[in-house]
């Protein structure tokens, strides 16, 4: 029996973060942005990141670092605390929906 070669890296489709918090944070950012009538590209520019990266954050495909969370909050004109509190509220709603 031959040994299978060791493959480096993550398997296709895997992530290095938990999906639920990423989805909740992205929803909180999108909700705050749309409530202000700000385009995704404008928010990304204010936060100093690429629009495509902001899109990934809003879709829950990427979980930003603490430094980036603070930059996004400032770009939205709110505190990181308020943004995280909204994320936690959304996480609670997600868990309530599941039972």
């Amino acid at each position: 029996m031959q040994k299978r070669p060791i493959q480096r890296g993550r398997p296709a489709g895997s992530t290095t973060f938990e999906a639920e918090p990423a989805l909740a944070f992205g929803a909180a950012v999108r909700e705050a942005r749309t409530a202000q009538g700000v385009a995704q590209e404008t928010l990304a520019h204010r936060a100093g990141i690429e629009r495509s990266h902001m899109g990934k954050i809003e879709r829950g495909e990427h979980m930003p670092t603490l430094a980036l969370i603070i930059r996004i909050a400032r770009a939205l004109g709110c505190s990181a605390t308020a943004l995280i509190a909204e994320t936690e509220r959304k996480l609670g709603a997600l868990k309530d929906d599941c039972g």
Side-chain angles (χ1 to χ4, degrees):
M1 184 169 171
Q2 285 186 342
K3 286 177 115 181
R4 288 179 34 184
I6 297 174
Q7 233 178 341
R8 292 186 164 234
R10 297 180 307 219
S14 68
T15 60
T16 58
F17 60 90
E18 293 181 42
E20 280 188 25
L23 288 167
F25 180 78
V29 170
R30 178 174 284 156
E31 188 175 285
R33 176 181 63 77
T34 56
Q36 294 178 20
V38 176
Q40 190 179 71
E41 188 170 0
T42 303
L43 178 60
H45 178 73
R46 289 179 188 168
I49 62 174
E50 295 290 324
R51 191 222 39 90
S52 60
H53 191 185
M54 183 61 72
K56 288 178 183 178
I57 291 169
E58 287 189 2
R59 289 189 303 274
E61 295 172 2
H62 181 259
M63 177 53 80
T65 62
L66 177 59
L68 187 50
I69 290 171
I70 292 169
R71 288 185 3 215
I72 291 169
R74 285 183 181 160
L76 287 167
C78 66
S79 69
T81 303
L83 203 51
I84 296 299
E86 181 61 19
T87 300
E88 288 182 319
R89 189 186 68 73
K90 290 186 177 304
L91 273 173
L94 286 174
K95 292 185 190 245
D96 290 343
D97 290 344
C98 295

